[in-house]
């Protein structure tokens, strides 16, 4: 019995000693290579690594490897990363595609007129250094890493992390392991020609893959015992696979990378190389498939991963709650780097007031609007929350050196015919916040549009506009002569109608409630209508002048526009109200009774099905007062032209075919998107047009005019390209409309 007790005591002692002996606990370093869209395979491989129980102790990444690595190091799980990246629109992120609602009305007008914008300083055409500034990516990284925005040393993240960038001036490698995390990973992924270089501490950086696309030595130096590497780099392609200049550029960069990888692979204990040959660096639309390649390849090494996990002490990571609150309470805004643009200007473009509650979405939209001005090369910001969860936002801006821009566009429609647009825009002429822009339209009808604007942001801004419009149009004789038709016009079906309009305005305007634009001003308008078809003027030239008068008025405009697309909206509201009080005139009509013209438009857009959207709108206008002058009556008909004065599109009729001093009109548009940015359209519009409709029951006693149209459209970089066939039962005739390019 004593022997049994003694043996039991000895066994217990040995067992106790073995339990106190430290277990093996190896440190695992993770290397994530660059590879653009192919880097999404990192997420799939990380899912398998997590499932195997492997604890990652250090992470080093380059380019897309830096993006995935930084988010993983900051606390996200692989599953969370999978969910995040599957929902992103990478085309929007990469192209800095700024939502229309995020822009101020001035920026909307600029972006919806020109097909191409180029720097033109010293009257020399220059091309941008990159396709994108990467602002949307920066906004996304700032939101996703907001929970670690106080971390300056990346070794203090939940997993110590660094990323690699390239100093563009020296061509040397830079290890970014301190600073502001979103800025560091943006620099590491700044692919040349695709993204602009990123400035950090007075140095410019581009994609780290140029010098070190697989930082295995640097991860080893952090203290890793075992290296797991996920490599999504290209292999060399055969000649038949080199189908573009971009493919050739990537191939030349791969010569050096592939040679270096021979040695780097030997330093990797577990090398995972997903089968991503059929994808390229911009194959983001195939993200799900790429993520799955990472899963498939990592599972081949499941036993090895399980063996590594057994040599580690388990560690439960504190993961990030999926998509924390989107709300922000901004108590203070600090702005640095704005040498030429005032704080009021910057805050106005940001559509930001403090202290005030907002959201990450609205904040990002404001940042994008500031970026859309083109006045800032870099827009960096950082959130800092206090103990009451109030946020201070600190902006660090780098202004653009470019002051002169060359802009180009083109357009065709049935009224103005063919036009090429050349624009010169000059910034900071008199004050830091001003901009001058001159459009010259050359073609069948030569026109111009000059704007000078002093932008005060939220405060009252000041502007002036001068524009000249002209077109020639064959119209019916009744369009000119409603009653007494001259003898020399009796035999004619149509006469040539020449329209000339010179308008000069000076105005003040402001934004209120972040979305409403209020403008008030004074206007001078010279109108001239004439025909060369009939009559002889005082100089014995074939011409009859119907109008040649200067009109002077004061006016006010209220605009609210949340359409997501000007030409093919899928959601949003639109309201525009305009009131002109005509005070006096000079010219053919020397004396006029004061009269007013009021008009308004209201619209609503809604997506009905995935690819089907609807736009319903109504509008109307009325002349108030006793003047018998018909020059500013409402003219309805046609489609695809830019509205000026009271020329109103109306499908089913030719331009200017309907006329009156009062009109009401309603429209239903259906757009079916059968291919991205390609539509089949159906429209129906109804209207009543005539004189003094509101003094009788004519405007509601029935529908006088109807029109239907069906067509196809494409939303292109030069603007919408549209072809429509229309029909009106009252005329029993059809009309074709063709419109190409932005309307100007």
């Amino acid at each position: 019995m004593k022997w049994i007790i003694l043996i039991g005591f000895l066994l217990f002692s040995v067992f106790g000693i073995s339990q106190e002996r430290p277990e093996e606990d190896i440190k695992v370093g993770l290397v994530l290579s660059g590879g653009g869209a192919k880097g999404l395979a990192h997420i799939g491989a990380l899912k398998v690594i997590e499932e195997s129980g492997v604890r990652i102790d250090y992470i080093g990444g380059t380019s897309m490897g830096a993006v995935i690595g930084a988010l993983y190091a900051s606390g996200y799980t692989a599953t969370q990363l999978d969910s995040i990246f599957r929902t992103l629109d990478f085309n929007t992120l990469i192209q800095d595609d700024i939502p229309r609602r995020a822009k101020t009305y001035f920026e909307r007008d600029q972006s919806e007129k020109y097909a191409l914008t180029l720097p033109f300083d010293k009257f020399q055409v220059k091309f941008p250094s990159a396709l994108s500034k990467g602002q949307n990516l920066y906004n996304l990284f700032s939101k996703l890493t907001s929970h670690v925005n106080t971390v300056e040393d990346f070794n203090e993240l939940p997993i110590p992390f660094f990323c690699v960038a390239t100093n563009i001036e020296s061509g040397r490698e830079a290890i970014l392991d301190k600073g502001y995390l979103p800025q560091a990973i943006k620099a590491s992924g700044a692919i040349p020609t695709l993204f602009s270089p990123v400035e950090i501490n007075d140095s410019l950086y581009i994609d780290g893959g140029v010098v070190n696309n697989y930082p295995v030595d640097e991860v080893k130096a952090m203290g890793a015992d075992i290296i797991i590497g996920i490599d999504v780099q290209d292999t060399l392609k055969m000649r038949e696979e080199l189908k573009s200049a971009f493919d050739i550029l990537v191939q030349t960069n791969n010569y050096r990378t592939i040679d270096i990888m021979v040695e780097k692979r030997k330093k990797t204990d577990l090398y995972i190389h997903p089968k991503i040959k059929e994808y390229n660096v911009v194959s983001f639309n195939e993200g799900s498939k790429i993520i799955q390649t990472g899963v498939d390849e990592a599972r081949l090494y499941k036993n090895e991963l399980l063996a590594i996990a057994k040599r580690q002490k388990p560690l439960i990571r504190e993961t990030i709650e999926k998509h924390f609150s989107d709300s922000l309470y901004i108590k203070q805004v600090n702005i640095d780097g704005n040498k030429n643009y005032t704080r009021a200007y910057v805050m106005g473009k940001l559509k930001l007031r403090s202290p005030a509650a907002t959201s990450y979405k609205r904040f990002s939209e404001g940042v994008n609007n500031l970026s859309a001005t083109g006045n800032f090369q870099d827009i960096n910001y950082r959130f800092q929350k206090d103990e009451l969860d109030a946020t201070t936002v600190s902006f660090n801006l780098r202004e653009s050196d470019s002051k002169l821009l060359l802009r180009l566009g083109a357009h065709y429609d049935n009224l103005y015919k063919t036009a090429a647009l050349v624009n010169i825009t000059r910034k900071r002429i008199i004050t830091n916040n001003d901009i001058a822009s001159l459009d010259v339209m050359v073609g069948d009808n030569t026109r111009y549009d000059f704007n000078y604007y002093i932008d005060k942001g939220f405060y009252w801004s000041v502007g002036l506009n001068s524009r000249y419009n002209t077109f020639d149009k064959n119209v019916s004789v009744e369009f000119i002569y409603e009653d007494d038709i001259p003898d020399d016009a009796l035999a004619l079906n149509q006469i040539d109608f020449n329209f000339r309009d010179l308008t000069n305005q000076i105005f003040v305007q402001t934004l209120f409630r972040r979305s409403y634009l209020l403008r008030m001003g004074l206007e001078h308008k010279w109108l001239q209508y004439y025909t060369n078809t009939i009559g002889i003027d005082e100089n014995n030239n074939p011409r009859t002048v119907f109008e040649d008068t200067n009109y002077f008025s004061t006016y006010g405009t209220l605009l609210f526009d949340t359409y997501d697309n000007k030409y093919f909206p899928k959601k949003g509201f639109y309201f525009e109200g305009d009131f002109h009080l005509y005070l006096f005139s000079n010219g053919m009509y020397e004396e006029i009774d004061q009269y007013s013209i009021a008009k308004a438009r209201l619209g609503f857009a809604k997506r009905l099905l995935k690819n089907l959207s609807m736009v319903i709108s109504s509008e109307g206008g009325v002349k108030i007062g006793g003047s018998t002058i018909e020059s500013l009556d409402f003219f309805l008909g046609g489609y695809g032209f830019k509205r000026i004065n009271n020329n109103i599109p109306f499908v089913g009729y030719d331009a200017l075919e309907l006329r009156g001093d009062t009109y009401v009109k309603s429209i239903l548009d259906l757009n079916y998107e059968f291919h991205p940015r390609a539509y089949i359209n159906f429209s129906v519009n109804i209207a009543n047009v005539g004189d003094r409709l509101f003094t009788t029951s004519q405007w509601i006693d029935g529908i006088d005019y109807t029109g239907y149209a069906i067509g196809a459209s494409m939303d292109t970089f030069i603007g919408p390209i549209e072809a429509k066939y229309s029909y009106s039962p009252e005329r029993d005739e059809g009309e074709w409309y063709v419109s190409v390019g932005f309307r100007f």
Side-chain angles (χ1 to χ4, degrees):
M1 186 68 181
K2 292 182 179 179
W3 285 103
I4 295 175
I5 296 174
L6 180 59
I7 291 172
F9 178 79
L10 291 173
L11 289 174
F12 179 81
S13 300
V14 171
F15 180 75
I17 292 171
S18 66
Q19 290 299 304
E20 294 175 0
R21 188 170 55 201
E23 295 178 353
E24 183 181 18
D25 186 25
I26 60 172
K27 303 292 187 182
V28 175
L30 180 66
V31 182
L32 302 177
S33 79
K38 295 177 294 182
L40 295 174
H42 292 318
I43 297 173
L46 276 170
K47 291 174 73 174
V48 178
I49 291 172
E50 276 188 0
E51 292 170 4
S52 303
V54 175
R55 185 193 72 232
I56 302 300
D57 299 289
Y58 310 104
I59 300 177
T62 299
S63 197
M64 193 61 173
V67 174
I68 304 299
L71 295 176
Y72 194 74
S74 69
Y76 288 94
T77 65
T79 301
Q80 287 176 326
L81 294 179
D82 192 344
S83 298
I84 291 170
F85 280 85
R86 285 180 189 271
T87 60
L88 295 178
D89 181 353
F90 283 96
N91 288 330
T92 299
L93 287 172
I94 292 173
Q95 297 174 13
D96 273 349
D97 188 7
I98 300 171
R100 186 172 185 266
R101 64 182 178 274
K103 303 174 184 176
T104 64
Y105 291 103
F106 184 83
E107 270 77 41
R108 289 181 195 179
D109 181 68
Q110 299 290 296
S111 65
E112 294 166 347
K113 188 188 295 186
Y114 310 112
L116 182 65
T117 298
L118 298 170
F120 198 50
D121 294 286
K122 299 181 180 179
F123 298 98
Q124 295 180 344
V125 175
K126 299 178 182 178
F127 291 92
S129 60
L131 296 176
S132 170
K133 296 177 182 177
Q135 191 64 55
N136 281 333
L137 288 171
Y138 186 88
N139 295 342
L140 175 66
F141 298 154
S142 293
K143 178 181 178 181
L144 293 177
T145 63
S146 63
H147 59 290
V148 292
N149 59 24
T150 59
V151 174
E152 291 282 348
D153 186 342
F154 302 162
N155 287 314
E156 296 176 3
L157 292 169
I159 301 175
F161 168 79
F162 74 85
C163 58
V164 180
T166 303
N167 186 307
I168 196 171
E169 294 174 296
S170 67
R172 294 178 180 175
E173 170 186 319
I175 301 298
L176 304 180
D177 57 3
K178 292 181 175 60
Y180 188 44
L181 189 59
Q183 194 173 26
I185 54 182
K186 180 187 173 187
S188 181
I191 300 173
T193 72
L194 181 58
F195 295 116
S196 299
V198 176
E199 183 178 21
I200 301 176
N201 298 329
D202 295 327
S203 295
L204 282 178
Y205 296 102
I206 58 172
D207 194 296
V210 174
V211 290
N212 187 354
N213 206 32
Y214 188 83
V216 62
D217 293 322
E218 291 75 12
V219 173
K220 189 77 173 177
M222 296 176 80
D225 300 307
I226 287 182
I227 298 292
I228 298 176
I230 307 173
D231 184 10
V232 293
Q233 300 175 85
D234 280 315
T235 57
L236 292 179
K237 296 181 178 180
M238 303 303 292
R239 68 176 70 180
E240 59 272 12
E241 298 175 293
L242 299 173
K243 299 178 181 179
S244 68
F246 187 76
D247 289 337
I248 295 172
L249 178 64
V250 172
Q251 179 92 333
T252 55
N253 185 63
N254 286 341
Y255 295 147
R256 178 187 57 82
T257 301
I258 290 171
D259 286 341
I260 293 173
M261 277 305 300
V262 174
E263 290 300 318
K264 290 191 173 186
R265 183 171 179 177
K266 295 177 182 178
K267 300 175 183 179
T268 306
D269 298 289
L270 184 57
Y271 180 77
I272 301 173
H273 187 52
K275 294 178 174 58
I276 36 77
K277 187 175 182 180
E278 62 183 282
Y279 308 105
N280 58 49
V281 295
V282 291
S283 297
F284 289 104
N285 59 329
E286 299 184 90
S288 297
K289 295 179 181 178
I290 296 174
I291 290 173
Q292 188 59 42
T293 64
V295 173
D296 295 339
E297 188 67 19
R299 280 180 177 163
L300 300 177
Y301 301 94
K302 191 65 177 285
N303 291 334
E304 289 88 340
L305 290 169
L306 290 170
I308 293 172
K310 288 180 180 179
R311 300 173 63 189
Q312 292 183 296
K313 290 181 178 178
L315 176 67
I316 299 176
R317 296 179 64 197
E318 292 185 9
T319 57
I320 304 305
E321 288 300 322
K322 187 177 180 181
H323 301 311
F324 35 80
S325 172
D326 190 54
S327 63
L328 279 173
Y329 181 78
I330 298 179
K331 69 172 184 178
Q332 184 176 336
V333 178
N334 301 322
I335 300 174
D336 185 39
N338 55 321
K339 300 177 182 177
N340 295 301
Y341 296 95
T342 64
R343 175 184 174 86
Y345 173 87
V346 174
M347 294 292 285
K349 295 301 178 184
L350 290 170
K351 300 181 181 180
L352 192 62
R353 294 185 183 275
S354 62
T358 185
S359 66
Y360 278 100
K361 181 179 180 180
R362 297 187 73 177
F363 176 84
S364 295
E365 288 177 352
V367 172
N368 284 340
N369 181 60
L370 184 63
S371 178
T373 65
N375 295 329
F376 300 93
Q377 185 63 38
D378 279 331
I379 302 174
N380 297 310
Y381 57 87
R382 187 166 188 171
F383 299 120
Q384 293 176 305
K385 288 189 176 183
D386 62 19
E387 62 279 359
L388 299 177
D389 209 33
T391 301
T392 296
V393 186
S394 297
F395 282 90
N396 192 324
L397 307 175
R398 182 162 66 101
E399 295 180 350
S400 172
D401 295 328
S402 180
K403 296 181 181 179
L404 193 64
L405 300 173
L406 173 67
R407 293 169 164 169
L408 305 172
H411 181 75
Y412 172 84
D413 64 58
N414 297 74
L415 182 61
Y416 285 99
K417 306 302 181 184
T418 304
L421 170 62
V422 179
N423 168 272
I424 298 293
T425 297
R426 177 66 161 83
K427 302 176 182 180
R428 305 200 298 270
I429 296 178
I430 300 174
T431 72
N432 285 337
N433 295 355
D434 70 358
I435 183 170
S437 175
L438 174 64
D439 290 337
V440 177
M441 301 82 154
V442 181
D444 291 306
N445 296 283
T446 301
R447 297 168 282 151
Y448 82 82
D449 189 352
F450 173 77
N451 287 277
Y452 177 76
Y453 186 56
I454 302 175
D455 196 332
K456 296 290 187 179
F458 279 120
Y459 302 107
W460 284 95
S461 301
V462 181
L464 61 87
N465 168 253
S466 177
R467 67 176 187 268
Y468 174 73
N469 281 278
T470 177
F471 60 79
D472 301 334
K473 180 81 174 66
N474 288 329
V475 299
S476 66
V477 176
E478 290 79 8
F479 177 83
I480 302 297
Y481 303 101
E482 294 184 4
D483 299 312
D484 299 326
I485 302 177
D487 293 338
D488 56 353
L490 285 172
L492 300 175
N493 291 322
Q494 290 188 322
I495 62 175
D496 180 50
F497 176 74
N498 293 269
F499 170 92
R500 305 289 183 267
D501 175 298
L502 173 65
T503 301
N504 300 297
Q505 296 176 328
I506 183 168
F507 59 87
V508 294
Q509 72 178 37
T510 188
L511 279 174
F512 64 96
R513 297 183 65 89
R514 295 171 58 101
S515 301
Y516 293 88
L517 174 70
L518 176 63
R519 175 182 289 189
M520 298 180 292
L522 302 174
E523 178 182 276
H524 157 257
K525 182 181 291 292
W526 170 68
L527 290 176
Q528 184 185 65
Y529 306 156
Y530 66 91
T531 181
N532 294 324
T533 308
I534 57 175
I536 301 295
D537 68 8
E538 67 274 9
N539 297 320
N540 207 33
N541 294 318
R543 172 179 291 196
T544 298
V545 177
F546 309 107
E547 166 67 284
D548 190 359
T549 307
N550 293 281
Y551 296 93
F552 299 87
S553 65
T554 181
Y555 72 97
T557 300
L558 179 64
L559 180 62
F560 175 75
D561 182 2
T562 62
Y563 279 168
D564 59 344
N565 185 293
K566 180 178 181 178
Y567 299 101
F568 308 104
K570 296 180 176 66
K571 60 180 180 179
F573 292 90
Y574 183 92
F575 173 80
E576 182 179 10
D578 182 270
F579 182 84
H580 272 68
L581 173 62
Y582 290 90
L583 303 171
F584 58 93
S585 64
N586 174 266
M588 181 175 287
Y589 299 104
E590 290 282 352
E591 296 182 6
I592 63 169
D593 296 330
Q594 289 186 7
Y595 69 98
S596 304
I597 292 179
K599 54 187 178 181
R601 271 197 291 165
L602 177 66
F604 168 68
K606 181 177 178 60
R607 190 192 297 270
L608 300 178
L609 301 171
K610 180 179 179 182
N611 295 324
L612 179 65
S613 58
M614 170 190 72
V615 183
I616 299 175
S617 60
S618 294
E619 58 184 282
V622 60
K623 182 166 67 174
I624 305 168
S627 175
T628 59
I629 296 173
E630 298 177 342
S631 300
L632 288 168
D633 278 0
F634 300 99
F635 300 91
L636 273 67
Y639 178 81
F641 55 85
K642 179 180 175 65
R643 296 185 180 213
I644 64 165
N645 294 344
N646 298 319
N647 295 344
I648 313 297
F650 190 79
V651 299
Y653 287 79
D654 194 12
L656 311 182
E657 190 167 350
L658 305 176
R659 175 177 182 171
D661 66 12
T662 310
Y663 86 101
V664 288
K665 169 189 166 185
S666 294
I667 314 163
L668 170 65
D669 288 323
L670 295 174
N671 292 311
Y672 177 74
E673 190 172 9
F674 65 91
H675 189 269
R677 296 179 175 267
Y679 302 85
I680 294 174
N681 323 101
F682 174 75
S683 302
V684 56
N685 53 199
I686 58 176
N688 284 344
V689 187
D691 291 334
R692 304 187 184 281
L693 294 184
F694 292 148
T695 62
T696 67
S697 61
Q698 285 181 271
W699 70 283
I700 56 172
D701 63 359
I703 299 173
D704 295 334
Y705 305 101
T706 60
Y708 306 87
I710 187 169
S713 308
M714 288 190 65
D715 193 4
T716 72
F717 78 98
I718 65 170
I721 299 175
E722 302 179 272
K724 293 178 182 288
Y725 177 76
S726 69
Y727 175 78
S728 171
E730 296 82 33
R731 301 172 71 220
D732 196 22
E733 288 184 40
E735 290 282 342
W736 274 100
Y737 308 121
V738 176
S739 177
V740 178
F742 295 120
R743 297 166 194 170
F744 48 75

